[in-house]
Amino acid sequence: MLVLAGGFCVSANAREPVRTRHAMVGTQEPLAADVGVQVLKDGGNAVDAAIAVGFALAVTHPYAGNLGGGGFMLIRFADGRSTFIDFRERAPAKASRNMYLDASGEPTRDSLDGWRSAGVPGTVRGFELAHRKYGSRKWADLVGPAIDLAERGFPVSYALAESLKSARNLSQDPESKRIFQKNGAYFAPGDTFIQPELARTLHRIAQNGVNEFYEGETAQKLAEAMARKGGLITLSDLKDYAAVERAPLTGSYHGYGIVAAPPPSSGGIGILQMLGMLDGSGYQKSGFGSAAEIEYVAEVMRRYYADRSQYLGDPDFGKLRLTSLLDPAYIKRRRDSIDPNRATPSTQILPGLPAARDGGETTHYNVVDAQGNAVAVTYTLNEGYGNGITVPGLGFLLNDEMDDFASKPGSPNAFGLIQGELNAIQPGKRPLSSMTPTILTRDGKFFMAVGAPGGSRIISAVLQVILNVVDFGMNAQDAVDAPRIHHQWQPDKLYLEPGISPDTIALLKSRGYDVDHSPGLVLARVEAIISKGGWLEGGSDGRASGKAAGY
Ligand code: DON
């Protein structure tokens, strides 16, 4: 990809971003985007649309859209206020520190597989909190489109057919197999996919409100199934579940305001620390995609991910040193340790203050309304289709979010992320997350909403898309499509997507990097909406099958 001086971006496979005048929704599944656009056209605000999209994705994008999972909603209002709704799952009361270790003290797959891998779901509570405080349409009207999609069904897309085919966990659970396959065969593109049990659950949620999920028939059935199958979640776990409103983290970079996700997201701290190290470094002068630019950004990532391994967790369960982590003097010290010509081995970079597990699939969507309110939501079941288990009679999948805790603090997880004591399992605690919904402002107005699925790679991907727009002048589509890199401190590897030139890769190797550029490597899937010259510009990642749309 070649970036010309005026911010004009040329690439052989460039696609135009979607442009609309007033309002926009960008999601990773097109039918859900249409639901959001309709809510906006009918006069709903961005929060209303975000709730309706969230319920719709639970039907059309069962991979990650959910009732049985959790996530984060970042809201920036047109008047400048902002807030963050944390509806991350919590560990059930019966959870305990060593619950996923075998007799020899080693982590097992139980945090990912089976009924015990589920945390207490937060999505419905989160949407209810957002609706009660900031919504303007009737709750039932926001659940309505999802009910229709579940009841009448919708045509299976090529992407959904392929994804259902490759989801091994769904065929291991009899109820999931019955729902997500057609009498033992896979759905083909064009088949109609109807989900009557899910439609009934949604219907009850529309009629009876949020308590249906946490105390009503849905809660009873979920708790009964858990008890029968050896799961941990009880009726009182469900009753006790609360979504929490938290103050977003804020900062600035190259003239833009940053509104970022606070813990238990590890993402906002990451974005602010990494932008802080890049600010004033002049890294961008080497040019987008050059070995020198890639190296500098990789070194910044290495330093942040080292800190992530030790200093972050649920803020309600331990004092986090956020002020120290974002202290400009500390960030400068971290930057000063970068050698612009040579990889710093990770063994020389320790979590730096004076004295995670990730994986699976997730989804992100953005909504901007005609008033300039912006909402960025990342929510998840953790792995694709969560733990693959559908609660009998309820039609929705359960998360396996317990795997985001450190089953054994200090030991690398399946994805090589090391996480610390602050993220050890405790009853009622929320696992540390990489989900990074982020909003940028310019001159006090909305400028950009961005976020992604992709486990530990979310944070580095969101960073790069911000840099592509702010420092390299790319439009929303080019910014999300451009090849990405990733470094997470441990393992000490530099991941490079296809599209980075072989010459550049050779240079990076000569500068001391252990490079992984496996064919087909995908580093997160990003959604972005930008406000520019009176237009909204939407970029939906070419690595996914989503859509930006609006009016
Ligand atoms: O919250 C987290 O960090 C993870 N559960 C997110 C998982 C994810 O993004 C997987 N997507 N590819």
Side-chain angles (χ1 to χ4, degrees), residues 48 50 74 113 125-126 144 178 207 290 392 421 443 471 508 543:
D48 294 319
L74 180 66
D113 300 335
R125 270 264 196 261
R178 185 179 65 75
Q207 295 277 295
S290 63
E421 278 301 328
D443 303 326
D471 289 340
L508 287 163
R543 300 163 185 80

Side-chain angles (χ1 to χ4, degrees), residues 63 72 88 266 308 357-363 378 380-384 401 404 431-435 452-456 458 524-525:
Y63 196 51
F72 302 133
R88 181 79 164 155
S266 58
R308 184 196 187 281
R357 259 169 114 127
D358 285 274
E361 266 298 339
T362 302
T363 195
T378 315
T380 187
L381 292 164
N382 191 29
E383 290 191 295
E401 218 75 59
D404 277 347
L432 183 63
S433 173
S434 296
M435 293 186 286
S456 60
I458 294 173
R525 297 175 167 87

Side-chain angles (χ1 to χ4, degrees), residues 109 111-112 305 308 356-361 382-384 400 403-405 411-419 434 454-457 486-493 495 521-522:
R109 281 194 58 89
S111 57
L112 286 163
Y305 279 93
R308 184 196 187 281
R357 259 169 114 127
D358 285 274
E361 266 298 339
N382 191 29
E383 290 191 295
D400 56 359
D403 189 64
D404 277 347
F405 281 115
S411 293
N413 66 17
F415 296 88
L417 270 185
I418 293 176
Q419 310 193 96
S434 296
S456 60
R457 287 103 185 252
H486 176 70
H487 199 300
Q488 62 178 43
W489 177 59
Q490 297 285 5
D492 190 348
K493 265 188 194 308
Y495 299 90
L521 179 67
V522 167

Side-chain angles (χ1 to χ4, degrees), residues 85 87 121-130 132 210-211 213-215 238-243:
I85 296 179
F87 55 98
T123 296
V124 182
R125 270 264 196 261
F127 289 173
E128 187 268 343
L129 175 61
R132 180 161 33 90
V210 65
N211 285 346
F213 192 91
Y214 292 93
E215 297 179 32
L238 289 164
K239 263 192 200 150
D240 289 350
Y241 182 88

Side-chain angles (χ1 to χ4, degrees), residues 96-344:
S96 57
R97 182 184 168 96
N98 297 330
M99 63 188 283
Y100 298 124
L101 302 185
D102 64 16
S104 53
E106 291 309 311
T108 62
R109 281 194 58 89
D110 293 356
S111 57
L112 286 163
D113 300 335
W115 288 79
R116 279 158 50 88
S117 63
V120 184
T123 296
V124 182
R125 270 264 196 261
F127 289 173
E128 187 268 343
L129 175 61
H131 178 257
R132 180 161 33 90
K133 293 201 69 173
Y134 306 114
S136 74
R137 310 302 280 194
K138 283 209 205 89
W139 172 254
D141 293 348
L142 303 178
V143 190
I147 299 176
D148 283 349
L149 286 161
E151 210 164 56
R152 293 193 203 146
F154 60 91
V156 171
S157 64
Y158 180 82
L160 178 59
E162 286 297 304
S163 154
L164 289 173
K165 224 188 283 179
S166 59
R168 222 151 290 121
N169 53 4
L170 290 179
S171 52
Q172 284 161 9
D173 177 66
E175 184 76 346
S176 295
K177 188 167 174 178
R178 185 179 65 75
I179 293 173
F180 295 101
Q181 293 183 8
K182 218 176 32 177
N183 307 319
Y186 292 116
F187 281 98
D191 285 350
T192 303
F193 182 37
I194 301 175
Q195 301 171 79
E197 293 87 359
L198 180 56
R200 284 199 290 277
T201 299
L202 285 164
H203 200 75
R204 291 196 305 276
I205 291 172
Q207 295 277 295
N208 308 336
V210 65
N211 285 346
E212 166 59 33
F213 192 91
Y214 292 93
E215 297 179 32
E217 183 184 334
T218 308
Q220 307 274 354
K221 283 195 169 140
L222 173 54
E224 275 162 31
M226 280 281 164
R228 222 175 31 247
K229 303 284 188 178
L232 299 184
I233 299 174
T234 62
L235 208 49
S236 62
D237 285 323
L238 289 164
K239 263 192 200 150
D240 289 350
Y241 182 88
V244 188
E245 209 171 354
R246 304 185 191 275
L249 302 173
T250 55
S252 63
Y253 179 71
H254 289 179
Y256 294 84
I258 314 283
V259 184
S265 167
S266 58
I269 287 280
I271 295 299
L272 293 175
Q273 264 204 356
M274 292 190 286
L275 289 176
M277 285 184 255
L278 291 169
D279 203 355
S281 70
Y283 84 100
Q284 72 278 25
K285 289 187 195 130
S286 324
F288 176 78
S290 63
E293 185 257 346
I294 291 176
E295 177 183 344
Y296 208 93
V297 174
E299 290 304 317
V300 158
M301 289 175 185
R302 186 199 306 272
R303 283 155 180 78
Y304 155 67
Y305 279 93
D307 278 358
R308 184 196 187 281
S309 74
Q310 186 153 333
Y311 300 123
L312 296 174
D314 183 344
D316 298 340
F317 277 74
K319 207 176 145 17
L320 305 183
R321 299 169 64 193
L322 301 188
T323 314
S324 310
L325 288 168
L326 294 176
D327 175 5
Y330 170 63
I331 290 176
K332 179 175 181 310
R333 274 209 308 284
R334 288 299 250 185
R335 181 204 307 148
D336 289 347
S337 72
I338 297 174
D339 174 349
N341 300 308
R342 192 90 211 138
T344 320

